[in-house]
């Protein structure tokens, strides 16, 4: 009875592992390294979808057929390192069934039980494109204004007129006018609207912040 329970548990565990293998949202290939060239012995659904083959078509195929010629030397080095027991992360150029290629990140390791290589393959086309795109400048939080001038500018951004700015900051209208002149010079603008737009673009102020 105990043996039967163990067998049932073992079978359930294998079925669970198989389900996970087939349905994981990452591309997994298993290759036999005891033969040359290394041959694919198992793939999951994601791998078949990525390369454009049926799973049965990939099984038995030399692993290096899934990479572009320019990456085959790199693949041989990966296989050699995995055979020595290492876990390898590398970028290669892989090839689909229709001949199109894509950049991939490969993470490969050796299964100690079977001696097979288990590799995950990730299409990194979008990541490569992001690397090539110039980074957009982030809004500058550094400004040439003093604390007092920034207090005036924030109120200008909110549409507060000079009299109310003077009242809110306990200043004279003359002082507010002088500070506005200095602000315009420092920001290379000519009026309140341009100064407010500059502050908003730079992230120095927002339209919904409370007066300070």
């Amino acid at each position: 009875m105990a043996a039967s329970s163990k067998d049932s548990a073992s079978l359930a565990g294998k079925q669970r592992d198989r389900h996970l293998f087939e349905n994981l949202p990452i591309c997994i290939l298993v290759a036999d390294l005891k033969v040359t060239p290394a041959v694919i012995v198992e793939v999951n659904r994601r791998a078949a979808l990525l390369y454009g083959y049926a799973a049965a078509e990939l099984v038995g195929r030399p692993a290096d057929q899934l990479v572009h010629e320019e990456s085959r030397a790199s693949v041989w080095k990966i296989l050699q390192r995995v055979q020595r027991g290492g876990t390898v992360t590398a970028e290669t150029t892989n090839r689909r069934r229709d001949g199109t290629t894509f950049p991939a990140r490969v993470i490969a390791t050796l299964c100690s039980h079977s001696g097979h290589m288990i590799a995950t393959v990730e299409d990194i086309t979008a990541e490569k494109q992001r690397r090539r795109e110039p980074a957009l400048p982030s809004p500058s939080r550094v400004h040439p204004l003093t604390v007092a001038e920034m207090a005036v500018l924030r109120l200008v951004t909110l549409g507060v007129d000079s009299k109310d700015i003077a009242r809110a900051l306990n200043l004279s209208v003359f002082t507010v006018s002088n500070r506005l002149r200095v602000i315009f010079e420092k920001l290379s603008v000519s009026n309140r609207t341009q100064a407010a737009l500059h502050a908003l673009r730079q992230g120095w102020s927002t339209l919904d912040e409370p007066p300070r």
Side-chain angles (χ1 to χ4, degrees):
M1 187 70 177
S4 177
S5 297
K6 287 183 179 179
D7 291 343
S8 297
S10 176
L11 178 59
K14 289 179 180 178
Q15 290 174 338
R16 182 174 59 253
D17 292 345
R18 168 53 56 181
H19 178 80
L20 286 171
F21 176 80
E22 288 293 346
N23 294 284
L24 278 173
I26 55 175
C27 169
I28 304 175
L29 301 99
V30 181
D32 185 356
L33 302 185
K34 300 186 190 74
V35 296
T36 304
V39 170
I40 297 169
V41 295
E42 197 170 7
V43 300
N44 68 350
R45 293 174 184 172
R46 188 74 175 184
L49 181 65
L50 178 62
Y51 288 99
Y53 290 90
E57 293 176 310
L58 285 171
V59 173
R61 184 178 297 270
D64 61 7
Q65 288 188 7
L66 298 182
V67 299
H68 191 270
E69 287 82 357
E70 68 183 26
S71 289
R72 289 187 178 172
S74 298
V75 170
W76 278 108
K77 291 179 182 178
I78 292 171
L79 297 178
Q80 290 171 354
R81 289 174 60 188
V82 171
Q83 282 178 320
R84 294 195 294 268
T87 296
V88 182
T89 300
E91 291 185 7
T92 61
T93 302
N94 287 22
R95 183 187 311 194
R96 301 184 182 89
R97 181 176 187 172
D98 62 8
T100 58
T101 59
F102 63 94
R105 179 179 295 110
V106 178
I107 302 176
T109 192
L110 188 69
C111 175
S112 57
H113 299 296
S114 65
H116 291 163
M117 178 185 74
I118 301 174
T120 63
V121 181
E122 177 188 3
D123 183 346
I124 57 172
T125 300
E127 181 181 319
K128 287 273 193 178
Q129 289 173 344
R130 287 194 298 271
R131 290 181 198 168
R132 289 194 294 267
E133 291 173 356
L136 295 175
S138 58
S140 174
R141 299 284 172 177
V142 179
H143 53 76
L145 307 181
T146 65
V147 173
E149 290 161 354
M150 181 57 69
V152 171
L153 180 59
R154 287 195 174 105
L155 291 173
V156 168
T157 303
L158 294 172
V160 182
D161 63 27
S162 293
K163 288 183 180 180
D164 287 336
I165 291 174
R167 188 177 300 111
L169 300 178
N170 197 25
L171 302 171
S172 69
V173 175
F174 178 77
T175 300
V176 171
S177 297
N178 278 339
R179 287 186 183 171
L180 283 173
R181 178 180 53 79
V182 173
I183 289 169
F184 295 167
E185 289 176 358
K186 287 184 176 181
L187 300 185
S188 300
V189 299
S190 58
N191 56 53
R192 295 166 63 101
T193 300
Q194 291 176 357
L197 288 174
H198 187 88
L200 292 170
R201 290 194 196 101
Q202 297 300 319
W204 300 343
S205 184
T206 64
L207 292 174
D208 57 357
E209 65 177 289
R212 305 185 186 188

